[in-house]
Amino acid sequence: MRALLVVNPAATTTSARTRDVLIHALASEMKLEAVTTEYRGHARDLGRKAADSDDIDLVVALGGDGTVNEVVNGLLHGGPDPDRLPGLAVVPGGSTNVFARALGLPNDAVEATGALLDALRERRTRTVSLALASGTPGTEDEGVPERWFTFCAGFGFDASVIGRVEQQRERGKRSTHALYLRQVVRQFLGEQNRRHGTITLERPGEDPVENLVLSIICNTSPWTYLGNRPVYASPDASFETALDVLGLSRLSTPAVARYATQLLTSTPERGPHGKHAMTLHDLTDFTLHSKVPLPLQMDGDHLGLRTSVTFTGVRRALRVIV
């Protein structure tokens, strides 16, 4: 088997020595080319090169969710076709690693490499759904390039939090769960639209859902992790279905306390619920509009402000080694 290993040298939970050990372990089982990313978007370019190649059977992403997202967008630049494209494998090296853990992989890079090698020997694969976000035709965002995401997107509040975290990381702060929680509090205190939402969800054949303050789009479950604790925003979401949406229409102090508690105590059977919570399951096509520009995030990457985003859930989009 010929494989391309895409290595993010800035991965927060692996050292250079650990990465060398993992590379040698993988190279003992396959013909491996290891490339270290050098700039933002480099992993996407490498994924695209692999997709266009006739002699690469597998792409291994060694890094966090951002690295995986870039590789996936490169692999799928010509559209999904799991029977034609190289398979994808993930070795978690980030701070949270939602995609890898949602696949059932260990969160430790060494253990995950061992699991990957076992899966290759036993030829274990699965085909997963993915999600595509694009600019909505007829709006000022229609020219925004399409982008795939693997596990979640957010429009509004949670994307603002991620933007704040990225600003702190650019100032040298480490990406920790405490950092995220601090930015949640700061975003809540400064949120202008927390009582009167600006987001409308539209889907074919249904009445629009209006006045949402935030919307979380899930391609799988859990939505994220706090340390070892999984957090379920949409417990029914899975890699076998299309997209689930959690929308909140109010973020008053009592509402935030209630829904934050529900998220922290969520289970695979029950997520946030109540008068101001809206949940939708297995949506293939829908659009989110906002009266004012709001931040958008995908797979934990802040993508700037948007007024309208169209989402498409694509079943059986990619073959993954597990």
Side-chain angles (χ1 to χ4, degrees), residues 91-114:
V91 177
S95 58
T96 310
N97 307 306
V98 178
F99 183 67
R101 295 163 84 176
L103 289 170
L105 292 170
N107 196 35
D108 177 80
V110 175
E111 292 182 14
T113 300

Side-chain angles (χ1 to χ4, degrees), residues 303-314:
L303 299 178
L305 300 178
R306 303 281 192 276
T307 56
S308 185
V309 188
T310 294
F311 295 90
T312 305
V314 182

Side-chain angles (χ1 to χ4, degrees), residues 25-266:
L26 292 170
S28 68
E29 298 288 336
M30 63 190 78
K31 189 170 183 179
L32 185 73
E33 177 188 3
V35 180
T36 299
T37 58
E38 299 177 355
Y39 54 86
R40 185 166 185 157
H42 193 182
R44 180 198 61 228
D45 295 342
L46 293 170
R48 180 170 185 149
K49 180 180 178 181
D52 293 339
S53 171
D54 293 327
D55 57 358
I56 295 179
D57 306 301
L58 175 68
V59 178
V60 184
L62 172 51
D65 289 311
T67 303
V68 174
N69 179 279
E70 285 196 13
V71 169
V72 166
N73 273 277
L75 285 172
L76 296 182
H77 78 95
D81 185 351
D83 295 325
R84 179 187 63 82
L85 293 171
L88 172 70
V90 179
V91 177
S95 58
T96 310
N97 307 306
V98 178
F99 183 67
R101 295 163 84 176
L103 289 170
L105 292 170
N107 196 35
D108 177 80
V110 175
E111 292 182 14
T113 300
L116 168 59
L117 293 174
D118 288 343
L120 288 170
R121 296 185 191 108
E122 298 170 13
R123 299 181 182 274
R124 296 199 310 265
T125 67
R126 66 181 291 191
T127 304
V128 299
S129 65
L130 293 174
L132 183 66
S134 57
T136 305
T139 72
E140 61 185 52
D141 291 322
E142 66 178 334
V144 175
E146 296 180 337
R147 179 157 173 163
W148 294 89
F149 62 93
T150 64
F151 65 91
C152 86
F155 191 45
F157 184 87
D158 82 307
S160 297
V161 172
I162 286 175
R164 286 177 174 270
V165 170
E166 289 189 0
Q167 289 177 350
Q168 294 299 313
R169 293 187 65 183
E170 289 172 358
R171 296 169 185 167
K173 298 290 182 66
R174 292 183 63 248
S175 178
T176 64
H177 298 299
L179 176 62
Y180 274 88
L181 291 174
R182 286 197 300 271
Q183 302 314 312
V184 168
V185 173
R186 290 173 180 171
Q187 181 60 36
F188 169 70
L189 295 176
E191 179 62 52
Q192 298 179 346
N193 304 306
R194 65 189 187 189
R195 291 182 181 275
H196 304 287
T198 65
I199 301 171
T200 297
L201 184 150
E202 295 181 352
R203 51 189 168 138
E206 302 288 345
D207 293 334
V209 181
E210 301 179 325
N211 301 321
L212 297 175
V213 179
L214 68 79
S215 53
I216 295 171
I217 303 95
C218 292
N219 186 49
T220 190
S221 190
W223 166 51
T224 190
Y225 291 83
L226 285 176
N228 291 323
R229 178 191 289 274
V231 180
Y232 299 90
S234 297
D236 292 333
S238 81
F239 286 129
E240 279 68 50
T241 61
L243 300 174
D244 283 28
V245 180
L246 168 67
L248 299 181
S249 58
R250 180 170 295 185
L251 284 182
S252 62
T253 301
V256 166
R258 179 168 61 254
Y259 294 125
T261 300
Q262 290 178 355
L263 279 170
L264 292 175
T265 59
S266 59

